[in-house]
C-alpha cells in the first residue's frame, strides 16, 4: 500500500507516518487497489482507486464526533455504563475503532488505554490526534486534566 500526496503536502508528519508504517510516498495517484491520501484534510483512506471520492477520514474537531466530544456530559448511556462514581476510572477500550467512546471517557475525566487492531484505522486516528493536538495547542500526551490516551497497535 502507498501514501499519495501532492509535493506541497510533504511534511515531517507524513514522513514519520511513512517511515513507521513502512508505506511508500508517491506523487501520482494509484490507478488500482486501495491507498492512503494525505492532503489538507490530513490522512484519508481510499478503499478503491476506481472511486477516489469515497474515502475514510477521521476528524475529532468537527462533524458528528466533534459534536459528541463537546457534549460529553450528555452521553447518558456511556455514563450509565460506568456507574455513578465521582472518582476517575482506569478504562481499557479493547475495541477502540475511531476512538469515539474513548474520547468521551477522557472528556468525562477518566484515564483510558485504547487498543485498535486495524493498522489502517490506527494510522487514521493517530493522524487525527496529531491534527487535533496541533489545532488545540496541546501536547500529544496531555488532554483535559492531564489524562493520558495511549494508542496501541497489536
Amino acid at each position: 500500500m502507498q501514501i499519495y500526496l501532492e509535493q506541497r503536502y510533504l511534511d515531517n508528519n507524513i514522513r514519520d507516518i511513512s517511515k513507521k508504517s513502512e508505506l511508500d510516498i508517491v506523487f501520482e495517484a494509484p490507478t488500482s487497489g486501495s491507498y492512503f491520501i494525505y492532503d489538507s484534510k490530513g490522512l484519508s483512506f481510499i478503499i478503491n482507486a476506481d472511486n477516489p471520492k469515497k474515502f475514510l477520514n477521521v476528524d475529532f474537531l468537527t462533524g458528528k464526533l466533534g459534536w459528541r466530544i463537546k457534549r460529553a456530559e450528555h452521553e447518558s448511556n456511556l455514563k450509565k455504563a460506568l456507574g455513578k462514581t465521582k472518582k476517575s476510572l482506569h478504562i481499557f477500550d479493547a475495541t477502540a475503532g475511531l476512538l469515539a467512546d474513548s474520547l468521551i471517557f477522557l472528556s468525562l475525566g477518566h484515564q483510558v488505554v485504547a487498543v485498535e487492531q486495524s493498522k489502517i484505522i490506527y494510522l487514521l486516528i493517530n493522524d487525527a490526534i496529531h491534527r487535533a493536538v496541533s489545532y488545540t495547542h496541546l501536547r500529544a500526551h496531555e488532554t483535559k486534566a492531564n489524562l493520558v490516551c495511549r494508542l496501541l497497535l497489536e
Side-chain angles (χ1 to χ4, degrees):
M1 202 169 330
Q2 302 169 319
I3 303 172
Y4 161 66
L5 59 112
E6 293 178 17
Q7 185 75 32
R8 65 185 166 143
Y9 292 113
L10 186 61
D11 60 20
N12 288 336
N13 182 45
I14 197 60
R15 284 185 185 107
D16 190 44
I17 291 169
S18 171
K19 183 178 178 181
K20 287 181 180 176
S21 60
E22 300 178 354
L23 295 171
D24 294 327
I25 294 175
V26 297
F27 299 106
E28 287 188 30
T31 56
S32 65
S34 55
Y35 61 94
F36 289 96
I37 184 169
Y38 187 73
D39 57 18
S40 61
K41 294 184 290 291
L43 191 67
S44 301
F45 182 67
I46 309 278
I47 297 168
N48 185 344
D50 293 334
N51 189 3
K53 293 188 187 240
K54 220 175 187 182
F55 60 90
L56 177 60
N57 177 273
V58 180
D59 187 348
F60 297 132
L61 302 175
T62 62
K64 183 179 176 182
L65 187 53
W67 182 79
R68 279 189 70 199
I69 292 166
K70 290 175 188 150
R71 297 183 71 250
E73 287 298 322
H74 301 284
E75 292 287 329
S76 59
N77 289 337
L78 285 178
K79 287 170 48 176
K80 188 184 288 186
L82 296 175
K84 293 183 179 183
T85 180
K86 299 283 186 207
K87 64 180 183 174
S88 175
L89 299 174
H90 297 271
I91 299 170
F92 181 78
D93 185 353
T95 57
L98 300 179
L99 288 185
D101 292 343
S102 291
L103 290 171
I104 300 298
F105 295 145
L106 282 169
S107 65
L108 291 172
H110 304 294
Q111 295 184 29
V112 179
V113 173
V115 180
E116 176 51 50
Q117 184 176 3
S118 167
K119 182 177 180 180
I120 292 167
I121 298 298
Y122 171 80
L123 291 171
L124 293 173
I125 60 176
N126 208 19
D127 177 66
I129 288 171
H130 176 81
R131 283 182 284 115
V133 166
S134 297
Y135 295 139
T136 58
H137 309 293
L138 296 174
R139 292 190 304 269
H141 65 279
E142 289 182 333
T143 59
K144 185 177 178 182
N146 293 323
L147 300 175
V148 177
C149 179
R150 294 183 301 165
L151 305 175
L152 306 173
L153 180 62
E154 288 186 336

